[in-house]
Amino acid sequence: MTTRLGLGLPQMRQYDLGKDVPDVARAAERTGYESLWVFERALFPEPATQGLYGVEGLPWPDTYRSVAEPLVTLALAAAVTERARLGTSVLVAPLHVPFQLAKTLASLDAGSGGRVVAGFGTGWSHDEYAAASVRPFAERGAALDELIGVCRAVWGPDPVVYDGEVTKIASAVVGPKPARPIPILLAAGDSGRARRRLVDQADGWLPTGMGAETVAAQWRELRELAAERGRTEPIRTVLRVNTRYSRKNYEGSDRRPFQGGVDQIVEDLAAHAEIGLDEILVDLQSTTRDAEELKDVAALVYEKARAAGV
């Protein structure tokens, strides 16, 4: 069985949101990509008070200066596609009011014929929390727990009832309902609590491509935890790979995974596909110059990946 392939939609400032998102979405579906994905970056602090991913001294990439709102981007893609699933990898859950996010995702799923995949994470940027969060950074895990609970309630049968820290629904009819149960996938790194949340509450896992050995070890540990906690349902997996595409192959022994020309990216895709994950999301947008190059490179990656057995 080949690994399903998805493509990241163009959200960064070198793209024309209204023109390029529909254009790339249509082209990706025609090429054969089975899913389309967005990520969330709310702002670009200047000067930065915190390093990228919370790592001291690590600069934020310039491409983060303008990132289109993820659900608006997905709606633009939904309107011009028919089959491709529409996923978030990831929405920073505590930056959203739980009830409003649950209703928005339900509406998008209903309108797209049941194609939404809800990927959530807790994020890491203190600046984003200061600007937009509904709860403090220290409560980010609890905020994610509540958001998951609200989504399950709002997406379920009426009357909807929920009594949380932020959200209080005494008894209400809430529609539209999703076309089918929306799967919830979570990002979870080294935190034991985050992994337990994933195993106990989520439908799947959103790892990041940091090298095949690293991802394979994380996947093995997650399955062991699921067995320990008595989970019997399979864990759905979508691997995000953030490429650093180059117009020619990267030279040097210190090449990072998914850095270089198309052949090198496909080589890394093949290595990660051997782990046995369900799907790989290929995000090319940060280093392609415009939508035309993004479409061309995405088509070539897809063609060569399939030829390589991915």
Side-chain angles (χ1 to χ4, degrees):
M1 177 179 173
T2 57
T3 305
R4 294 193 295 269
L5 292 177
L7 184 69
L9 289 168
Q11 295 173 260
M12 296 176 177
R13 63 178 180 174
Q14 69 266 44
Y15 303 103
D16 181 315
L17 184 65
K19 179 174 73 71
D20 292 344
V21 170
D23 189 25
V24 170
R26 281 190 294 257
E29 189 173 69
R30 285 197 302 267
T31 295
Y33 283 98
E34 296 179 66
S35 55
L36 302 166
W37 295 83
V38 291
F39 75 105
E40 184 160 40
R41 192 82 286 131
L43 49 72
F44 186 98
E46 195 169 44
T49 59
Q50 181 189 23
L52 184 69
Y53 310 129
V55 178
E56 186 176 355
L58 188 62
W60 289 50
D62 207 49
T63 50
Y64 283 177
R65 286 184 177 275
S66 177
V67 177
E69 203 284 328
L71 297 182
V72 170
T73 305
L74 276 189
L76 289 168
V80 298
T81 56
E82 297 178 353
R83 301 177 305 279
R85 291 182 304 281
L86 307 163
T88 62
S89 177
V90 298
L91 289 180
V92 183
L95 304 186
H96 299 265
V97 176
F99 179 84
Q100 291 176 340
L101 179 61
K103 184 163 174 121
T104 299
L105 289 169
S107 298
L108 182 59
D109 193 74
S112 65
R115 294 190 279 149
V116 170
V117 179
F120 299 145
T122 55
W124 47 266
S125 169
H126 293 175
D127 294 281
E128 290 184 338
Y129 270 76
S133 68
V134 296
R135 296 176 71 170
F137 184 78
E139 298 178 10
R140 60 196 181 280
L144 177 55
D145 288 334
E146 179 161 330
L147 187 138
I148 293 170
V150 171
C151 284
R152 300 288 194 201
V154 168
W155 300 341
D158 294 321
V160 174
V161 177
Y162 189 86
D163 185 16
E165 190 71 25
V166 173
T167 308
K168 311 284 185 181
I169 309 172
S171 179
V173 174
V174 183
K177 299 296 184 185
R180 89 299 188 227
I182 298 175
I184 293 177
L185 279 62
L186 297 180
D190 297 328
S191 165
R193 182 178 177 183
R195 291 183 179 187
R196 289 190 295 273
R197 178 186 296 113
L198 192 159
V199 167
D200 295 344
Q201 299 185 47
D203 300 294
W205 177 44
L206 293 168
T208 302
M210 299 177 292
E213 290 184 6
T214 299
V215 176
Q218 291 174 337
W219 181 219
R220 183 170 57 253
E221 291 167 4
L222 193 61
R223 284 179 294 171
E224 290 171 355
L225 178 62
E228 289 172 9
R229 298 182 73 81
R231 176 171 177 141
T232 57
E233 299 87 357
I235 296 175
R236 180 173 176 173
T237 52
V238 181
L239 175 73
R240 164 176 275 278
V241 297
N242 298 312
T243 68
R244 298 291 297 171
Y245 165 69
S246 170
R247 288 151 199 88
K248 56 185 178 181
N249 284 338
Y250 181 87
E251 301 295 337
S253 58
D254 59 342
R255 184 179 76 88
R256 297 179 181 180
F258 304 105
Q259 178 185 37
V262 168
D263 289 341
Q264 291 175 316
I265 290 171
V266 170
E267 179 183 328
D268 292 332
L269 285 174
H272 284 72
E274 291 179 3
I275 299 169
L277 304 179
D278 298 318
E279 188 164 359
I280 300 177
L281 147 64
V282 184
D283 199 320
L284 297 158
Q285 66 175 305
S286 68
T287 45
T288 47
R289 290 171 293 200
D290 52 30
E292 290 304 313
E293 185 173 48
L294 175 55
K295 290 187 297 181
D296 290 345
V297 174
L300 193 54
V301 166
Y302 185 90
E303 177 188 342
K304 293 198 170 192
R306 290 309 188 210
V310 176

